[in-house]
mmCIF file of all heavy atoms in Angstrom:
data_model
loop_
_atom_site.group_PDB
_atom_site.id
_atom_site.type_symbol
_atom_site.label_atom_id
_atom_site.label_comp_id
_atom_site.label_asym_id
_atom_site.label_seq_id
_atom_site.Cartn_x
_atom_site.Cartn_y
_atom_site.Cartn_z
ATOM 1 N N LYS X 76 -4.556 -3.175 24.351
ATOM 2 C CA LYS X 76 -5.637 -3.376 25.318
ATOM 3 C C LYS X 76 -6.811 -2.431 25.082
ATOM 4 O O LYS X 76 -7.936 -2.699 25.500
ATOM 5 C CB LYS X 76 -5.090 -3.211 26.735
ATOM 6 C CG LYS X 76 -4.134 -4.338 27.127
ATOM 7 C CD LYS X 76 -3.359 -4.028 28.406
ATOM 8 C CE LYS X 76 -4.223 -4.225 29.618
ATOM 9 N NZ LYS X 76 -3.410 -4.099 30.866
ATOM 10 N N SER X 77 -6.546 -1.326 24.387
ATOM 11 C CA SER X 77 -7.629 -0.375 24.082
ATOM 12 C C SER X 77 -8.206 -0.605 22.689
ATOM 13 O O SER X 77 -8.882 0.252 22.136
ATOM 14 C CB SER X 77 -7.118 1.059 24.205
ATOM 15 O OG SER X 77 -6.083 1.306 23.260
ATOM 16 N N GLY X 78 -7.912 -1.767 22.108
ATOM 17 C CA GLY X 78 -8.495 -2.115 20.804
ATOM 18 C C GLY X 78 -7.605 -1.814 19.626
ATOM 19 O O GLY X 78 -8.079 -1.735 18.487
ATOM 20 N N GLY X 79 -6.306 -1.685 19.870
ATOM 21 C CA GLY X 79 -5.387 -1.323 18.789
ATOM 22 C C GLY X 79 -5.054 -2.438 17.821
ATOM 23 O O GLY X 79 -4.497 -2.200 16.759
ATOM 24 N N PHE X 80 -5.392 -3.690 18.183
ATOM 25 C CA PHE X 80 -5.116 -4.798 17.268
ATOM 26 C C PHE X 80 -6.139 -4.821 16.143
ATOM 27 O O PHE X 80 -7.342 -4.680 16.386
ATOM 28 C CB PHE X 80 -5.157 -6.125 18.018
ATOM 29 C CG PHE X 80 -4.906 -7.320 17.133
ATOM 30 C CD1 PHE X 80 -3.621 -7.691 16.795
ATOM 31 C CD2 PHE X 80 -5.963 -8.056 16.625
ATOM 32 C CE1 PHE X 80 -3.390 -8.792 15.972
ATOM 33 C CE2 PHE X 80 -5.750 -9.153 15.809
ATOM 34 C CZ PHE X 80 -4.454 -9.524 15.491
ATOM 35 N N LYS X 81 -5.684 -5.006 14.916
ATOM 36 C CA LYS X 81 -6.578 -5.016 13.756
ATOM 37 C C LYS X 81 -6.699 -6.429 13.189
ATOM 38 O O LYS X 81 -5.715 -6.997 12.720
ATOM 39 C CB LYS X 81 -6.047 -4.095 12.659
ATOM 40 C CG LYS X 81 -5.934 -2.638 13.031
ATOM 41 C CD LYS X 81 -5.286 -1.847 11.890
ATOM 42 C CE LYS X 81 -5.086 -0.387 12.253
ATOM 43 N NZ LYS X 81 -4.357 0.347 11.199
ATOM 44 N N LYS X 82 -7.876 -6.985 13.251
ATOM 45 C CA LYS X 82 -8.202 -8.171 12.472
ATOM 46 C C LYS X 82 -8.598 -7.620 11.106
ATOM 47 O O LYS X 82 -9.696 -7.073 10.931
ATOM 48 C CB LYS X 82 -9.361 -8.919 13.121
ATOM 49 C CG LYS X 82 -9.634 -10.286 12.535
ATOM 50 C CD LYS X 82 -8.628 -11.310 12.967
ATOM 51 C CE LYS X 82 -9.052 -12.714 12.533
ATOM 52 N NZ LYS X 82 -8.019 -13.699 12.808
ATOM 53 N N LEU X 83 -7.695 -7.688 10.128
ATOM 54 C CA LEU X 83 -7.770 -6.799 8.963
ATOM 55 C C LEU X 83 -9.084 -6.882 8.198
ATOM 56 O O LEU X 83 -9.662 -5.851 7.848
ATOM 57 C CB LEU X 83 -6.593 -7.085 8.019
ATOM 58 C CG LEU X 83 -5.205 -6.743 8.569
ATOM 59 C CD1 LEU X 83 -4.156 -6.868 7.469
ATOM 60 C CD2 LEU X 83 -5.164 -5.350 9.175
ATOM 61 N N ASN X 84 -9.565 -8.092 7.889
ATOM 62 C CA ASN X 84 -10.799 -8.178 7.106
ATOM 63 C C ASN X 84 -11.965 -7.498 7.806
ATOM 64 O O ASN X 84 -12.734 -6.752 7.207
ATOM 65 C CB ASN X 84 -11.143 -9.638 6.831
ATOM 66 C CG ASN X 84 -10.239 -10.270 5.789
ATOM 67 O OD1 ASN X 84 -9.326 -9.617 5.277
ATOM 68 N ND2 ASN X 84 -10.453 -11.526 5.492
ATOM 69 N N THR X 85 -12.090 -7.758 9.115
ATOM 70 C CA THR X 85 -13.184 -7.170 9.884
ATOM 71 C C THR X 85 -13.004 -5.662 10.025
ATOM 72 O O THR X 85 -13.951 -4.880 9.856
ATOM 73 C CB THR X 85 -13.256 -7.817 11.280
ATOM 74 O OG1 THR X 85 -13.423 -9.233 11.127
ATOM 75 C CG2 THR X 85 -14.412 -7.253 12.087
ATOM 76 N N PHE X 86 -11.782 -5.234 10.333
ATOM 77 C CA PHE X 86 -11.492 -3.818 10.538
ATOM 78 C C PHE X 86 -11.776 -3.012 9.269
ATOM 79 O O PHE X 86 -12.445 -1.968 9.311
ATOM 80 C CB PHE X 86 -10.034 -3.647 10.949
ATOM 81 C CG PHE X 86 -9.603 -2.215 11.126
ATOM 82 C CD1 PHE X 86 -9.916 -1.515 12.284
ATOM 83 C CD2 PHE X 86 -8.890 -1.563 10.134
ATOM 84 C CE1 PHE X 86 -9.516 -0.195 12.456
ATOM 85 C CE2 PHE X 86 -8.491 -0.241 10.290
ATOM 86 C CZ PHE X 86 -8.809 0.441 11.453
ATOM 87 N N TYR X 87 -11.306 -3.499 8.124
ATOM 88 C CA TYR X 87 -11.475 -2.742 6.892
ATOM 89 C C TYR X 87 -12.881 -2.867 6.306
ATOM 90 O O TYR X 87 -13.327 -1.978 5.562
ATOM 91 C CB TYR X 87 -10.404 -3.142 5.871
ATOM 92 C CG TYR X 87 -9.101 -2.415 6.132
ATOM 93 C CD1 TYR X 87 -8.118 -2.974 6.933
ATOM 94 C CD2 TYR X 87 -8.891 -1.139 5.632
ATOM 95 C CE1 TYR X 87 -6.940 -2.290 7.203
ATOM 96 C CE2 TYR X 87 -7.726 -0.442 5.899
ATOM 97 C CZ TYR X 87 -6.757 -1.024 6.681
ATOM 98 O OH TYR X 87 -5.601 -0.328 6.949
ATOM 99 N N ALA X 88 -13.595 -3.937 6.653
ATOM 100 C CA ALA X 88 -15.013 -3.992 6.270
ATOM 101 C C ALA X 88 -15.768 -2.878 6.979
ATOM 102 O O ALA X 88 -16.656 -2.244 6.403
ATOM 103 C CB ALA X 88 -15.600 -5.350 6.625
ATOM 104 N N GLY X 89 -15.403 -2.618 8.225
ATOM 105 C CA GLY X 89 -16.017 -1.513 8.966
ATOM 106 C C GLY X 89 -15.642 -0.157 8.389
ATOM 107 O O GLY X 89 -16.499 0.727 8.248
ATOM 108 N N LYS X 90 -14.369 0.008 8.054
ATOM 109 C CA LYS X 90 -13.916 1.278 7.468
ATOM 110 C C LYS X 90 -14.622 1.541 6.134
ATOM 111 O O LYS X 90 -14.974 2.687 5.824
ATOM 112 C CB LYS X 90 -12.404 1.227 7.242
ATOM 113 C CG LYS X 90 -11.572 1.129 8.502
ATOM 114 C CD LYS X 90 -11.256 2.480 9.092
ATOM 115 C CE LYS X 90 -10.163 3.191 8.324
ATOM 116 N NZ LYS X 90 -9.747 4.452 8.994
ATOM 117 N N ALA X 91 -14.813 0.497 5.349
ATOM 118 C CA ALA X 91 -15.418 0.655 4.027
ATOM 119 C C ALA X 91 -16.891 1.012 4.106
ATOM 120 O O ALA X 91 -17.456 1.574 3.147
ATOM 121 C CB ALA X 91 -15.242 -0.622 3.211
ATOM 122 N N LEU X 92 -17.545 0.716 5.221
ATOM 123 C CA LEU X 92 -18.966 1.023 5.352
ATOM 124 C C LEU X 92 -19.213 2.527 5.296
ATOM 125 O O LEU X 92 -20.255 2.974 4.800
ATOM 126 C CB LEU X 92 -19.500 0.450 6.665
ATOM 127 C CG LEU X 92 -21.017 0.510 6.898
ATOM 128 C CD1 LEU X 92 -21.775 -0.119 5.732
ATOM 129 C CD2 LEU X 92 -21.378 -0.178 8.199
ATOM 130 N N VAL X 93 -18.248 3.307 5.756
ATOM 131 C CA VAL X 93 -18.378 4.764 5.736
ATOM 132 C C VAL X 93 -18.430 5.286 4.302
ATOM 133 O O VAL X 93 -19.067 6.299 4.021
ATOM 134 C CB VAL X 93 -17.218 5.422 6.516
ATOM 135 C CG1 VAL X 93 -17.320 6.942 6.486
ATOM 136 C CG2 VAL X 93 -17.198 4.925 7.956
ATOM 137 N N ILE X 94 -17.751 4.582 3.396
ATOM 138 C CA ILE X 94 -17.715 5.017 1.984
ATOM 139 C C ILE X 94 -18.459 4.007 1.102
ATOM 140 O O ILE X 94 -18.103 3.787 -0.056
ATOM 141 C CB ILE X 94 -16.263 5.196 1.494
ATOM 142 C CG1 ILE X 94 -15.455 3.885 1.692
ATOM 143 C CG2 ILE X 94 -15.586 6.344 2.211
ATOM 144 C CD1 ILE X 94 -14.129 3.879 0.957
ATOM 145 N N ASN X 95 -19.508 3.410 1.653
ATOM 146 C CA ASN X 95 -20.210 2.345 0.950
ATOM 147 C C ASN X 95 -20.745 2.786 -0.411
ATOM 148 O O ASN X 95 -20.729 2.024 -1.378
ATOM 149 C CB ASN X 95 -21.357 1.824 1.815
ATOM 150 C CG ASN X 95 -21.865 0.473 1.362
ATOM 151 O OD1 ASN X 95 -21.103 -0.355 0.869
ATOM 152 N ND2 ASN X 95 -23.155 0.243 1.512
ATOM 153 N N SER X 96 -21.206 4.014 -0.507
ATOM 154 C CA SER X 96 -21.730 4.513 -1.794
ATOM 155 C C SER X 96 -20.643 4.525 -2.857
ATOM 156 O O SER X 96 -20.898 4.190 -4.025
ATOM 157 C CB SER X 96 -22.300 5.921 -1.621
ATOM 158 O OG SER X 96 -23.458 5.888 -0.823
ATOM 159 N N GLN X 97 -19.421 4.895 -2.463
ATOM 160 C CA GLN X 97 -18.297 4.877 -3.402
ATOM 161 C C GLN X 97 -18.022 3.449 -3.886
ATOM 162 O O GLN X 97 -17.790 3.218 -5.087
ATOM 163 C CB GLN X 97 -17.032 5.417 -2.734
ATOM 164 C CG GLN X 97 -16.991 6.920 -2.557
ATOM 165 C CD GLN X 97 -15.610 7.389 -2.122
ATOM 166 O OE1 GLN X 97 -14.610 6.714 -2.346
ATOM 167 N NE2 GLN X 97 -15.568 8.547 -1.498
ATOM 168 N N VAL X 98 -18.046 2.512 -2.951
ATOM 169 C CA VAL X 98 -17.791 1.111 -3.307
ATOM 170 C C VAL X 98 -18.846 0.620 -4.290
ATOM 171 O O VAL X 98 -18.520 0.010 -5.312
ATOM 172 C CB VAL X 98 -17.779 0.229 -2.041
ATOM 173 C CG1 VAL X 98 -17.584 -1.244 -2.413
ATOM 174 C CG2 VAL X 98 -16.689 0.670 -1.070
ATOM 175 N N ILE X 99 -20.101 0.906 -4.007
ATOM 176 C CA ILE X 99 -21.195 0.439 -4.860
ATOM 177 C C ILE X 99 -21.103 1.052 -6.251
ATOM 178 O O ILE X 99 -21.268 0.359 -7.270
ATOM 179 C CB ILE X 99 -22.559 0.763 -4.207
ATOM 180 C CG1 ILE X 99 -22.736 -0.058 -2.927
ATOM 181 C CG2 ILE X 99 -23.708 0.493 -5.166
ATOM 182 C CD1 ILE X 99 -23.907 0.363 -2.067
#
């Protein structure tokens, strides 16, 4: 109820934004 469910593609797209320079 506090947002613990992970819709994986969306959740990890958000996580990857923090390290976007590494991805690029």
Side-chain angles (χ1 to χ4, degrees):
K76 291 168 77 172
S77 62
F80 179 82
K81 298 175 183 175
K82 190 75 171 173
L83 294 189
N84 286 1
T85 303
F86 177 79
Y87 278 92
K90 295 273 283 186
L92 188 53
V93 179
I94 56 167
N95 197 33
S96 292
Q97 285 190 23
V98 177
I99 293 169

